[in-house]
Amino acid sequence: MDANGKKLLNELMELSFVAVELNLFLDTHPDSKDALEDYNRISERYMLLKDKYEKTYGPLVNFGYSSSQYPWQWSQSPWPWEIEY
Amino acid sequence: MRFNINPRTPSAPKPVPKNKRETKQEKTVEIKVPQKYEKPVNITLEEKVEDNTVQGKVNDKHQIPPGYGPGVPTHPIKPMPEYPYDSKPDQLAEAYVLWQKYGGKMYTPKEALEKGTLFPELYRPYSPERHK
């Protein structure tokens, strides 16, 4: 995987962690508009980057949550532990 | 092997019609206490047989143990045992947790992932020296 792919993956991991944090905060503070706004903004950016990543480097999730180009990419792209950041 | 899927097996006692059930039944039970805890204690249990339902289901086969029944959650919450000593403590511990607020300083996504939290007020770095 090239440097651009790693950069995208890193940013995806960061965004998904922020999403987890905001998710947990919102679980106990469902009325917080500011937190919800941030959550939605982060989710949107996450989905955008995920699409961008998957178009070039293959699906991040399987079992129907992402499509694949030909040939089938899931088992061909590197596993998470094979990527050296 | 055949299974009897009818919960009311022939041997099971017939359910008492609702209007004929006793409303209250007092029972004195002797509870054996280990010798170091003084003499045996007599505890009066109030068994309500009036409404034998747990969450809307008629329960014919199983006796509802005391402490369970209508209005009491059926999942196994075990109450704290009584303080086992002769005298009760004056005070027990109280937990007080400040309510987290939104809108203060937050870490950047990169920093948050490294530190394990998005919120500086929740950041507790582990320092091995402190835990020796």
Side-chain angles (χ1 to χ4, degrees):
Chain A
M1 183 183 299
D2 59 25
N4 186 50
K6 286 177 190 171
K7 198 177 148 241
L8 277 173
L9 258 189
N10 261 318
E11 199 177 337
L12 281 166
M13 289 191 283
E14 288 161 17
L15 288 173
S16 84
F17 182 70
V18 172
V20 169
E21 288 286 90
L22 295 174
N23 191 149
L24 293 173
F25 182 88
L26 283 161
D27 285 348
T28 50
H29 304 66
D31 301 328
S32 174
K33 281 185 185 152
D34 292 343
L36 185 59
E37 235 170 67
D38 285 348
Y39 178 82
N40 287 339
R41 215 162 33 88
I42 292 284
S43 311
E44 211 177 295
R45 175 142 181 82
Y46 181 88
M47 293 308 287
L48 197 102
L49 281 186
K50 180 178 172 278
D51 284 351
K52 198 174 159 190
Y53 176 90
E54 288 182 330
K55 264 190 194 132
T56 316
Y57 302 98
L60 278 173
V61 275
N62 59 350
F63 299 146
Y65 289 95
S66 295
S67 53
S68 169
Q69 289 168 34
Y70 182 85
W72 174 243
Q73 290 169 294
W74 180 254
S75 48
Q76 306 308 312
S77 47
W79 299 111
W81 54 90
E82 291 174 333
I83 303 166
E84 281 181 36
Y85 290 100
Chain B
M1 190 189 282
R2 292 182 69 192
F3 293 98
N4 190 347
I5 53 163
N6 187 350
R8 283 177 195 167
T9 53
S11 59
K14 272 192 177 172
V16 187
K18 207 160 189 181
N19 55 358
K20 284 190 182 168
R21 287 182 196 166
E22 285 178 70
T23 50
K24 224 181 214 184
Q25 196 178 21
E26 289 211 337
K27 213 168 156 187
T28 305
V29 194
E30 190 181 88
I31 293 181
K32 277 187 184 158
V33 191
Q35 275 211 325
K36 57 177 182 173
Y37 294 127
E38 304 177 16
K39 54 194 175 185
V41 218
N42 286 322
I43 294 177
T44 305
L45 297 176
E46 276 188 7
E47 278 186 28
K48 286 191 177 171
V49 208
E50 175 197 36
D51 185 1
N52 212 15
T53 59
V54 178
Q55 290 190 346
K57 272 188 192 166
V58 178
N59 195 333
D60 301 326
K61 283 171 105 180
H62 307 287
Q63 276 262 298
I64 298 175
Y68 294 83
V72 181
T74 50
H75 49 273
I77 294 177
K78 286 192 181 168
M80 281 281 284
E82 276 286 301
Y83 199 71
Y85 304 105
D86 294 342
S87 62
K88 288 199 173 188
D90 293 334
Q91 283 191 318
L92 297 167
E94 290 171 19
Y96 179 67
V97 182
L98 284 171
W99 191 241
Q100 192 184 355
K101 284 192 177 146
Y102 201 78
K105 190 189 169 288
M106 277 190 284
Y107 292 129
T108 61
K110 185 179 188 299
E111 234 182 333
L113 184 60
E114 282 163 7
K115 291 191 149 86
T117 179
L118 179 62
F119 306 100
E121 65 268 33
L122 289 176
Y123 181 47
R124 303 280 188 286
Y126 175 74
S127 54
E129 307 83 50
R130 265 189 61 206
H131 292 86
K132 265 176 193 167

